[in-house]
């Protein structure tokens, strides 16, 4: 019985995203003699909490006496004054007969104090009903309070063979697609066959690997995250805006990792800094002339101590980038070996700094280098891959980061990726995609237009190949 009503409370809580952030998503249900008499959820930051909304809903339905009612709430009720009064005071004032709590609140201002206040008021409690589900409802909130940094989601798009870009400026390179796709679609109408290189269907002039539906989904993700992190390599190559243009939501704080302050003053990031809050994280001094020029244009320059200098890698080969040489934006070509650069931003220190500023969620976008660095720094809590149903099949094309450490669970071999038609697409067991997936747990798959979304939690530790 408890699971039934707590499940309803969880469903209600999800309605609060993204307007409730950075507060947690919370849902509440009031039940009297097996009948739901009031429901509520935390709908927006600074607004009424779920418990208050459920109580007010019950009153509007004509239920004034709640002494025999049971309140189901996904998170421990607050007991402090913030933007709203304590929920525990209202629960005690209403003389609610019983309270069932999904999980304790990790915030130091609450953290068991709400439960203690209700027990001291002699209100019967049951704590821990569907605890795991209630914790998973709020990964941002729990990561922030338990680790002191924002929850990190690494987002990348790739082909079936793990390529994240084209080998040159050619916007319509040949791609390997099942030969029975006569009309150029990516939906396999027959049994899996060997791949051959044919003219692709996405001849739109776009440099992106993922499809239109995935592009819109990425903008939706951005609206749900407080901050978005991107490396200087992507800025130089693609000149992105990193906004929510395709989704009606708030733009995230943009965080550009630029150890040597190479960001062009003519880039769209800099040009739009007065409209979209932007941080450039660097190892350079805030007194550097380039830093002052950025500050004059509305960018906050965050100078951080550099990470320990890595040893030069004699086997390192610079990864070709689709925008070099001579990219279309006129930005300087990337020529530095990042493994021998004198100073690099410590991403873990950057994440902790963002946590101190109250940032609870961080969407990590960019290329293989920033992805590998984020995984190695331990700031990635989940990986989200938009996998396009074709292969680029070119060794010169940039690839997903190749993890070398991390202990995958037993019995977690590469697996076939299902198409939207439930037919299996041949999986490339030795590809960068396979290597990365072998280091993920709790893997889920879901369709996204022509593409497939694969998500998983990184094994710990994860590092890029040296």
């Amino acid at each position: 019985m408890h699971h039934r009503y707590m499940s309803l409370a969880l469903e209600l809580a999800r309605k609060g995203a993204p307007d409730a952030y950075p507060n947690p998503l919370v849902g509440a249900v009031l039940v009297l003699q097996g009948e739901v008499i009031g429901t509520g959820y935390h709908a927006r930051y600074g607004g009424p909490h779920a418990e208050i909304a459920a109580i007010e809903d019950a009153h509007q339905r004509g239920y004034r006496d709640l002494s025999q009612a049971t309140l189901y709430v996904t998170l421990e009720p607050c007991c402090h004054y913030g933007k709203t009064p304590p929920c525990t005071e209202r629960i005690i004032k209403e003389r609610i007969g019983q309270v069932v709590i999904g999980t304790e609140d990790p915030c130091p201002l609450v953290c068991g104090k709400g439960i203690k206040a209700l027990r001291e008021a002699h209100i019967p409690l049951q704590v821990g009903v569907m605890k795991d589900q209630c914790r998973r409802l709020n990964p941002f909130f729990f990561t922030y309070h338990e680790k002191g940094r924002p929850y990190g989601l690494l987002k990348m798009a790739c082909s079936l063979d793990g390529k994240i870009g084209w080998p040159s400026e050619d916007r319509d390179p040949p791609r390997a697609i099942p030969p029975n796709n006569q009309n150029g679609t990516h939906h396999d109408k027959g049994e899996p066959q060997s791949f051959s290189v044919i003219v692709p269907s996405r001849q739109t002039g776009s440099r992106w690997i993922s499809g239109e539906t995935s592009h819109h989904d990425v903008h939706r993700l951005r609206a749900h995250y407080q901050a978005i992190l991107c490396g200087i390599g992507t800025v130089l190559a693609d000149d992105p805006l990193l906004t929510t243009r395709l989704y009606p939501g708030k733009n995230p704080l943009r965080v550009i990792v630029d150890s040597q302050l190479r960001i062009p003053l003519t880039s769209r990031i800099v040009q739009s800094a007065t409209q979209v809050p932007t941080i450039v994280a660097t190892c350079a001094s805030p007194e550097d002339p380039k830093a002052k020029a950025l500050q004059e244009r509305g960018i906050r320059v965050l100078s951080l101590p550099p990470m320990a200098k890595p040893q030069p890698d004699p086997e390192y080969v610079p990864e070709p980038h689709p925008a070099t040489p001579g990219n279309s934006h006129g930005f300087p070509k990337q020529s530095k070996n990042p493994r021998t650069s004198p100073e690099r931003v410590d991403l873990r220190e950057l994440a902790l700094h963002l946590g101190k500023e109250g940032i609870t969620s961080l969407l990590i976008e960019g290329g293989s280098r920033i992805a590998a660095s984020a995984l190695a720094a331990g700031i990635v809590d989940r990986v989200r891959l938009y996998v396009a149903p074709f292969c680029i099949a070119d060794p010169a094309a940039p690839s997903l980061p190749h993890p070398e450490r991390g202990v995958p669970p037993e019995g977690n071999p590469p697996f076939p990726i299902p198409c939207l038609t439930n037919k299996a697409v041949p999986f490339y067991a030795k590809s960068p995609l396979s290597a990365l997936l072998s280091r993920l747990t709790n893997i889920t798959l879901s369709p996204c237009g022509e593409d497939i979304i694969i998500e998983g939690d990184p094994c710990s530790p994860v590092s890029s190949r040296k």
Side-chain angles (χ1 to χ4, degrees), residues 73-103:
V73 60
T74 57
L75 187 68
E76 176 183 359
C78 68
C79 55
H80 64 285
Y81 282 89
K83 292 185 177 297
T84 61
C87 291
T88 51
E89 287 188 1
R90 183 67 182 272
I91 293 171
I92 294 169
K93 179 181 178 181
E94 295 287 342
R95 300 174 57 198
I96 292 176
Q98 182 183 14
V99 178
V100 179
I101 299 171
T103 186

Side-chain angles (χ1 to χ4, degrees), residues 177-181 185-195 389 419-426:
I177 306 176
N180 56 350
N181 286 346
T185 65
H186 300 302
H187 302 291
D188 193 352
K189 299 178 181 178
E191 293 301 319
Q193 303 180 38
S194 61
F195 279 54
C419 276
L420 304 186
T421 56
N422 294 323
K423 299 294 183 179
V425 171

Side-chain angles (χ1 to χ4, degrees), residues 39 85 90 92 94 96 125 131 138 142 144 164 186 190 205 243 292 299-300 316 319 358 397 454:
T39 62
R90 183 67 182 272
I92 294 169
E94 295 287 342
I96 292 176
L125 295 178
K131 180 176 182 177
N138 285 297
F142 280 92
Y144 173 73
I164 62 173
H186 300 302
T243 59
K292 291 183 177 180
I299 286 181
R300 182 151 64 98
Y316 174 77
E319 184 178 274
I454 305 180

Side-chain angles (χ1 to χ4, degrees), residues 389-436:
F390 55 76
C391 295
I392 294 177
D394 190 325
S399 303
L400 289 168
H402 194 306
E404 191 167 59
R405 295 190 312 206
V407 183
E410 294 184 6
N412 188 34
F415 51 88
I417 302 177
C419 276
L420 304 186
T421 56
N422 294 323
K423 299 294 183 179
V425 171
F427 191 73
Y428 291 79
K430 295 183 179 181
S431 72
L433 176 58
S434 173
L436 181 57

Side-chain angles (χ1 to χ4, degrees), residues 228-241:
I228 180 171
L229 183 144
C230 179
I232 183 59
T234 297
V235 174
L236 294 175
D238 299 332
D239 195 21
L241 271 175

Side-chain angles (χ1 to χ4, degrees), residues 144-217:
Y144 173 73
H145 284 291
E146 294 176 351
K147 297 183 179 181
R149 61 165 176 83
Y151 175 90
L153 176 68
L154 173 61
K155 186 279 300 179
M156 302 190 79
C158 69
S159 59
L160 276 173
D161 53 346
K163 299 298 182 178
I164 62 173
W166 313 117
S168 70
E169 280 287 297
D170 181 10
R171 296 312 188 194
D172 287 317
R175 282 163 266 188
I177 306 176
N180 56 350
N181 286 346
Q182 300 298 324
N183 295 323
T185 65
H186 300 302
H187 302 291
D188 193 352
K189 299 178 181 178
E191 293 301 319
Q193 303 180 38
S194 61
F195 279 54
S196 64
V197 177
I198 66 171
V199 177
S201 69
R202 293 180 185 166
Q203 292 184 354
T204 61
S206 171
R207 63 185 179 273
W208 310 121
I209 287 179
S210 55
E212 183 178 353
T213 303
S214 294
H215 295 168
H216 281 79
D217 191 64

